[in-house]
Amino acid sequence: MGIDIIFKIAGVGLITAIVNSILKKCDKDEIATFVTLAGLVIVLVMVIDMVLGLFDNIKEILRLY
């Protein structure tokens, strides 16, 4: 869980930016906005999963059940 998550987030951001710019050039601004929001949700789910893993590790270290 080191640098690979950074590459995943960057990959989602890059794909979202490319699709967003293509859709804006095709005058599909509403769909481009939804694509941006979908990319944001995907990244938030990944970050929330990491935070939950962090809390589980802290519980395990401190032996809190």
Side-chain angles (χ1 to χ4, degrees):
M1 194 162 76
I3 198 159
D4 60 334
I5 194 71
I6 294 172
F7 286 133
K8 286 180 186 178
I9 291 173
V12 170
L14 186 63
I15 291 171
T16 302
I18 291 170
V19 172
N20 189 2
S21 65
I22 290 171
L23 287 171
K24 283 196 177 203
K25 288 193 186 265
C26 294
D27 292 330
K28 305 282 185 184
D29 292 333
E30 295 86 13
I31 299 173
T33 303
F34 287 129
V35 168
T36 303
L37 288 175
L40 179 65
V41 167
I42 291 170
V43 169
L44 284 176
V45 167
M46 290 191 308
V47 170
I48 288 172
D49 186 45
M50 286 178 34
V51 170
L52 290 176
L54 174 67
F55 286 149
D56 286 340
N57 287 340
I58 291 173
K59 274 185 183 178
E60 186 178 320
I61 289 171
L62 298 176
R63 298 190 195 280
L64 298 175
Y65 295 102

